Every structure is written in structure tokens, then in C-alpha cells.
């Protein structure tokens, strides 16, 4: 995983850099920032945590879709939502080292 991918996945999780540094990485804000601009190698355990959270997010979205069914079709912003779902479906391609 490179810094751009880490940043994109962090954004999908709606974390700020500071939140991600503390909650995902257990590191300083500066360390997280270095990872996102490829100044330092991202720790494998951080890659695993981010990947796990993205999988959890995907399952949560699928659960909501099943629960709400056709009601989702009329929600404003559906195109952006569909794009995120498609991106989560490509997670394996995105998270390859």
C-alpha cells in the first residue's frame, strides 16, 4: 500500500489524519503524514487495520442496503454512495503492496 492509497482509504473511513494517527496507527500525527506522502514505509499492522476497517465498512453498507431495500434508490447523493461501494468492492486491487 502506498501513501495515496492510505489517504484515500482514510477518507473513506471519514477519519482526519489526527484521528487515524491515534486510532489506527497509534502514532503521532507527523508519522501518519509521512506515511501519506511516502516519506516512510507504512507499518504492516497499520495496513492490516485499515484493510480490516474497510472490509467492516463494506459489510456495514451491505447490511444497510439489505435492511432498507428499495428506499435507498430515492436518497439524494446515491451516485456518490454507489461509487464508494464500487471502490470498496475493488479493495483487493487497491490494497496490494
Amino acid at each position: 500500500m502506498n501513501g495515496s492509497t492510505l489517504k484515500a482509504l482514510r477518507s473513506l473511513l471519514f477519519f482526519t489524519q489526527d484521528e487515524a494517527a491515534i486510532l489506527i496507527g497509534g502514532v503521532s500525527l507527523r508519522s501518519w503524514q509521512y506515511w501519506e506522502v511516502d516519506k516512510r514505509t507504512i507499518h504492516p499492522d497499520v495496513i492490516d487495520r485499515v484493510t480490516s476497517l474497510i472490509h467492516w465498512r463494506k459489510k456495514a453498507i451491505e447490511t444497510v442496503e439489505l435492511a432498507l431495500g428499495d428506499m435507498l434508490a430515492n436518497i439524494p447523493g446515491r451516485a456518490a454512495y454507489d461509487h464508494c461501494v464500487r471502490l470498496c468492492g475493488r479493495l483487493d486491487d487497491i490494497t496490494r503492496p
Side-chain angles (χ1 to χ4, degrees):
M1 177 182 298
N2 64 24
S4 297
T5 301
L6 181 66
K7 182 177 180 177
L9 295 176
R10 173 184 58 79
S11 295
L12 274 176
L13 294 168
F14 295 97
F15 283 127
T16 64
Q17 285 182 325
D18 198 39
E19 291 167 338
I22 294 167
L23 299 172
I24 298 173
V27 296
S28 68
L29 173 59
R30 176 72 68 202
S31 291
W32 190 274
Q33 290 169 334
Y34 283 160
W35 289 340
E36 286 193 1
V37 296
D38 293 317
K39 284 190 176 182
R40 291 199 181 137
T41 303
I42 303 165
H43 296 173
D45 59 325
V46 171
I47 294 171
D48 290 343
R49 282 188 215 126
V50 169
T51 301
S52 178
L53 285 169
I54 290 293
H55 282 297
W56 173 85
R57 180 185 182 279
K58 181 181 177 187
K59 287 178 185 176
I61 289 170
E62 290 169 354
T63 300
V64 169
E65 283 181 325
L66 286 173
L68 296 179
D70 293 334
M71 289 177 18
L72 285 175
N74 299 321
I75 294 175
R78 176 65 193 222
Y81 168 83
D82 288 341
H83 175 72
C84 288
V85 170
R86 282 192 303 279
L87 184 59
C88 285
R90 293 184 42 228
L91 180 64
D92 294 333
D93 294 333
I94 293 171
T95 58
R96 283 193 190 121

